[in-house]
């Protein structure tokens, strides 16, 4: 690792950034009139808007031209830390083992399968022994994603679902980036395409038990998944049958198939309320059956346990509880287990002999196992019997003991299995697939994702705690090279999100090694509004307490400086989507704390968006942010923190904003307007602290598709960041 500052020389003649016209638009709410000079940039059908976005991209190219060799070097490092020809751990479904394979030089994987046989070579845990780049005897390619996506400017695989008997495959693709998918069904025996009738679907595909019907979702004009449809294979889409429709604009609907493939579990959710239904896949034309109803403020998920249901819910308990319900009375719940203080139960995975309960505990993801006293019978149990079937006193947790170890349930499709497969990771632990024997509790590592050139012994990871202004202790996950000391001289990188109860768990990201190996301290701020510390953590970072998200992040930044981990003036921050809102807010709130900010697909014009119920997802967002359209208090509160509304005439951090033209979640106009206002307001010296903006012209919320394109996009961002914080350009 090089310890000298090797910031790159700036271009001699700096280009001038684009300056869009002022075309004032007035809006008035609750007696307050706002004049917006840049709202006209919303119309992507306007040639002048497209010309402006292309000018922004040209400016970003010119303004970062001096970083081209560093970008190339970073891509080489990303590739160097990746075993390009690689594969997944085989997963057994029925008579087949399914495998995903990647190949050096290719963007997309191939999905393969091999039939279970005593002749298969075996590895750890009895799983077939597979090698990268070499097919097993009899292994067949069932979906060549590389062939599908190689010639597309953008490509995304939305779903991949073998049929229950293994004869058919349904998959869906998006070549625009707008998350509307076209569905294809193939015969896995002949390779023949059987059906391409369903176009523009949402997320989720499921076969009926007889494999004659396919269930799928549709979205409305506001990109709200609001309908579930049934399609007869080989039939015309015009004859498809509407199974269930969600008319309340606060809710989105989806589904999954029970582990035994007998039942379609449909669920409609808003931010704070749920409703579930069950549909018998052996009788696919039957109507869904209500399973729990809808009560404002009650959230729940359903899991089919063979002879009864398991329900994770918050009815009367803040941290959620696990309950049982008879199949005949799915709305009558008998409580089985409650979350302890500081915990949050999230979901249950039911098997014949156990249930694996995913939860949050001490700020980390964990898995708790509850044994069943007797195997599931092929008959429905009464609610009381169902509760008695589980031995709650014998619960135990799957743990590995690391300070930042994070454990998630992995793919476990067999209802009768006696081992549980799970994922282990941390900031310094590459994704590790393991399994535990549920009788002996013996753990077996099946595979650790290779990370060439990475030696975990060269680094340290730890948990820090920052004290917020109101006394709340906010967790920080941190990693650094071992030779780095808290001497107040280090550049730093702080990531955050803090919305929707989403958790930013410490996980291994190979591209971060390029930061760590240049002496940058890498940290994640687990701020309120996320779900890391349980349900109260989320409740105190939303609606009229949203400011806690922003002040927590600033307090974490201050703690990194005061503890000596990061030098004043050398801290960079990053957030994406709602985390981009966080970036815009902290830039306004404490610009002096940050040297540079990466804001990806940033939700920075939040008030404008949430005021307009015709925009995608807005009405459903009112339970997260509040309803400024009808509530003057919410309006005033949101206006006080919405980044676009609060840009100040002071020196700001350097800012790198990015978006995509076809993003349906955060429209490109938000960062376009924000950047324009920043440039005309802040006092930055553009030579020292530039504000650059990139817009992918064919992509969606996730940016470019294909792993090499994503590496290039990330290298673009990180080269700029390294330059801004004065980190070494070489390792």
């Amino acid at each position: 690792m090089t310890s000298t500052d090797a910031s790159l020389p700036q271009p001699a003649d700096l280009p001038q950034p684009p300056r869009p016209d002022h075309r004032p638009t007035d809006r008035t709410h609750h007696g307050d009139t706002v004049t917006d000079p840049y709202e006209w940039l919303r119309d992507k059908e306007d040639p002048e808007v497209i010309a402006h976005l292309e000018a922004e991209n040209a400016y970003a190219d010119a303004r970062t031209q001096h970083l081209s060799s560093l970008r190339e070097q970073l891509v080489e490092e990303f590739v160097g830390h990746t075993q390009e020809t690689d594969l997944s751990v085989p997963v057994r479904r029925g008579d087949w083992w399914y495998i995903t394979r990647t190949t050096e030089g290719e963007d997309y994987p191939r999905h393969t399968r091999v039939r279970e046989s005593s002749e298969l070579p075996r590895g750890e845990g009895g799983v077939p022994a597979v090698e990268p780049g070499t097919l097993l005897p009899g292994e067949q390619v069932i979906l060549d994603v590389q062939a599908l996506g190689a010639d597309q400017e953008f490509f995304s695989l939305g779903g991949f679902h073998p049929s229950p008997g293994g004869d058919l495959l349904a998959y869906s693709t998006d070549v625009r980036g707008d998350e509307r998918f076209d569905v294809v069904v193939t015969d896995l025996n002949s390779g023949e395409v059987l059906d391409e009738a369903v176009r523009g679907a949402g997320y989720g595909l499921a076969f009926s038990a007889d494999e004659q019907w396919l269930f799928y979702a549709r979205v409305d004009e506001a990109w709200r998944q609001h309908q579930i449809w049934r399609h007869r294979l080989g039939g015309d889409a015009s004859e498809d049958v509407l199974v269930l429709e969600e008319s309340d604009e606060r809710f989105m609907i989806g589904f999954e198939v029970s582990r035994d493939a007998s039942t379609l579990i449909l669920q409609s959710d808003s931010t704070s309320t749920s409703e579930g239904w069950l549909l018998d896949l052996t009788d696919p034309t039957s109507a869904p059956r209500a399973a729990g109803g809808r009560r404002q403020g009650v959230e729940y998920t359903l899991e089919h346990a063979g002879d009864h249901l398991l329900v994770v819910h918050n009815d009367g308990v803040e941290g959620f509880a696990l309950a049982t319900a008879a199949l005949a009375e799915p709305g009558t719940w008998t409580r089985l287990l409650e979350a302890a203080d500081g915990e949050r139960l999230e979901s249950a995975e039911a098997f014949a002999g156990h249930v694996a309960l995913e939860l949050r505990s001490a700020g980390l993801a964990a898995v708790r196992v509850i044994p069943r006293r007797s195997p599931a019978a092929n008959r429905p149990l009464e609610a009381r019997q169902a509760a008695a079937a589980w031995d709650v006193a014998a619960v135990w947790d799957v743990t590995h003991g690391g300070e930042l170890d994070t454990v998630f349930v992995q793919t476990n499709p067999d209802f009768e299995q006696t081992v549980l497969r799970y994922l282990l990771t941390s900031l310094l632990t590459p994704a590790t697939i393991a399994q535990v024997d549920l009788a002996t509790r013996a753990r077996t590592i099946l595979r650790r994702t290779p990370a060439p050139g990475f030696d975990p012994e060269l680094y340290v990871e730890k948990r820090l705690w920052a004290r917020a202004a109101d006394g709340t202790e906010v967790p920080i996950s941190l990693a650094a090279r071992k030779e780095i000391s808290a001497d107040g001289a280090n550049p730093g990188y702080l990531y955050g999100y803090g919305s929707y109860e989403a958790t930013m768990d410490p996980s291994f990201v190979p591209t971060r090694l390029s930061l760590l190996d240049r002496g940058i301290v890498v940290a994640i701020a687990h701020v309120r509004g996320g779900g890391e510390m349980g349900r109260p953590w989320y409740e105190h970072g939303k609606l009229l307490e949203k400011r806690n998200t922003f002040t927590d992040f600033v307090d974490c930044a201050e703690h990194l400086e005061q503890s000596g981990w990061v030098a004043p003036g050398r801290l960079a921050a990053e957030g994406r989507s709602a985390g981009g809102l966080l970036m815009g807010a902290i830039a306004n709130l404490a610009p002096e704390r940050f040297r540079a900010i990466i804001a990806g697909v940033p939700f920075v014009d939040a008030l404008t968006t949430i005021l307009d119920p015709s925009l995608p997802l807005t009405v459903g967002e009112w339970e997260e942010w509040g309803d400024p359209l009808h509530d003057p208090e919410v309006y005033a509160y949101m206006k006080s923190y919405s980044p676009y509304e609060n840009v100040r005439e002071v020196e700001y951090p350097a800012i790198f904003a990015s978006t995509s033209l076809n993003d349906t979640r955060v429209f490109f106009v938000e960062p376009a307007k924000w950047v324009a206002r920043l440039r005309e307001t802040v006092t930055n010296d553009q030579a020292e602290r530039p504000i650059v903006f990139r817009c992918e012209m064919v992509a969606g919320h996730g940016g470019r598709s294909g792993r090499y394109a994503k590496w290039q996009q990330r290298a673009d961002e990180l080269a700029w960041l390294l330059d801004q914080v004065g980190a070494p350009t070489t390792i």
Side-chain angles (χ1 to χ4, degrees), residues 542-668:
K542 63 183 289 195
L543 298 173
L544 296 177
E545 295 186 75
K546 187 63 199 171
R547 280 183 171 276
N548 286 334
T549 303
F550 317 137
T551 56
D552 281 358
F553 192 87
V554 172
D555 291 333
C556 288
E558 182 178 4
H559 182 78
L560 291 176
E561 286 188 15
Q562 291 182 345
S563 62
W565 279 106
V566 175
R570 299 192 73 189
L571 179 62
E574 180 175 10
R576 311 188 78 85
S577 195
L581 165 65
L582 171 61
M583 294 299 101
I586 59 104
N588 292 335
L589 183 64
E592 72 283 356
R593 284 281 173 206
F594 305 95
R595 182 61 179 79
I597 287 174
I598 296 175
V601 289
F603 183 41
V604 284
D605 192 17
L607 182 58
T608 301
T609 296
I610 300 301
L611 279 168
D612 188 349
S614 71
L615 293 178
L617 310 179
T618 286
V619 174
E621 297 282 295
W622 285 347
E623 292 186 354
E624 177 75 20
W625 312 98
D627 176 5
L629 183 62
H630 302 102
D631 188 330
E633 182 182 14
V634 171
Y635 176 88
Y637 189 74
M638 287 196 71
K639 189 179 180 185
S640 75
Y641 70 70
S642 182
Y644 181 62
E645 307 282 338
N646 292 282
V647 176
R648 297 194 282 139
E649 193 174 347
V650 297
E651 185 175 81
Y652 268 53
I655 291 174
F656 189 120
S658 63
T659 190
S660 298
L661 186 65
N662 296 327
D663 191 342
T664 57
R665 297 172 184 262
V666 180
F667 279 11
F668 71 90

Side-chain angles (χ1 to χ4, degrees), residues 3 12 58 95 414 457 512 574 608 617 658 729:
S3 60
D95 294 334
D414 184 2
E457 295 302 315
R512 289 184 188 145
E574 180 175 10
T608 301
L617 310 179
S658 63
T729 58

Side-chain angles (χ1 to χ4, degrees), residues 268-563:
S268 186
D269 297 290
S270 73
T271 301
S272 63
T273 305
S274 305
E275 182 172 8
W277 298 263
L278 304 174
L279 190 150
D280 185 354
L281 287 173
T282 67
D283 186 12
T285 61
S286 62
R289 189 163 56 93
R294 180 178 301 186
R295 290 170 284 161
Q296 181 62 36
V298 175
E299 301 170 60
Y300 63 92
T301 57
L302 303 169
E303 173 73 359
H304 202 287
D307 52 3
H308 65 284
L309 296 175
L310 291 171
V311 186
V312 176
H313 69 87
N314 70 338
D315 188 11
V317 55
E318 186 175 53
F320 286 67
L322 177 65
T324 60
L327 293 176
E329 299 180 88
T332 301
W333 303 339
T334 301
R335 190 169 296 181
L336 191 63
L337 178 73
E338 284 188 29
D341 289 344
E343 292 183 345
R344 160 71 155 94
L345 306 189
E346 294 191 325
S347 65
E349 302 259 358
F351 302 86
H354 65 280
V355 59
L357 190 61
E358 289 193 299
L359 67 148
R360 313 293 314 179
S361 181
L364 296 171
V367 175
R368 183 162 296 160
V369 177
I370 308 174
R372 188 163 181 159
R373 288 195 169 93
S374 59
N378 293 321
R379 58 183 179 82
L381 296 180
E382 299 295 334
R384 185 166 49 81
Q385 291 176 300
W390 298 100
D391 190 357
V392 176
V395 300
W396 53 279
D397 292 350
V398 179
T399 59
H400 280 258
E403 189 173 7
L404 296 183
D405 280 359
T406 302
V407 179
F408 301 97
V409 175
Q410 249 282 324
T411 305
N412 295 275
D414 184 2
F415 185 67
E416 299 293 335
Q417 68 188 57
T418 58
V419 296
L420 178 71
R421 187 176 291 189
Y422 61 94
L423 169 69
L424 167 69
T425 188
S426 75
L427 290 178
L428 300 180
T429 304
T432 301
I433 306 299
Q435 71 182 29
V436 57
D437 186 295
L438 292 156
T440 67
R441 304 189 190 181
R443 291 161 173 77
T444 302
I445 301 297
L446 300 180
R447 190 169 193 271
R448 177 162 288 159
T449 302
F454 168 64
D455 179 359
E457 295 302 315
L458 300 178
Y459 309 84
V460 293
E461 61 181 352
K462 58 182 59 190
R463 171 60 55 84
L464 306 179
W465 295 88
R467 183 177 293 276
D470 63 2
T472 301
E473 296 287 332
V474 182
I476 302 171
S477 298
L478 179 144
R481 295 272 304 198
K482 273 188 177 177
E483 65 267 26
I484 296 294
S485 61
D487 59 4
N490 309 307
Y493 164 87
L494 185 62
Y495 188 87
Y497 188 77
S499 293
Y500 305 110
E501 204 177 3
T503 56
M504 299 296 109
D505 293 297
S507 60
F508 183 79
V509 179
T511 56
R512 289 184 188 145
L513 295 176
S514 293
L515 301 180
L516 291 167
D517 289 341
R518 287 174 170 82
I520 293 179
V521 174
V522 171
I524 303 170
H526 303 289
V527 296
R528 280 175 283 187
E532 287 89 342
M533 299 290 286
R535 176 46 66 94
W537 203 248
Y538 170 52
E539 297 288 353
H540 293 306
K542 63 183 289 195
L543 298 173
L544 296 177
E545 295 186 75
K546 187 63 199 171
R547 280 183 171 276
N548 286 334
T549 303
F550 317 137
T551 56
D552 281 358
F553 192 87
V554 172
D555 291 333
C556 288
E558 182 178 4
H559 182 78
L560 291 176
E561 286 188 15
Q562 291 182 345
S563 62

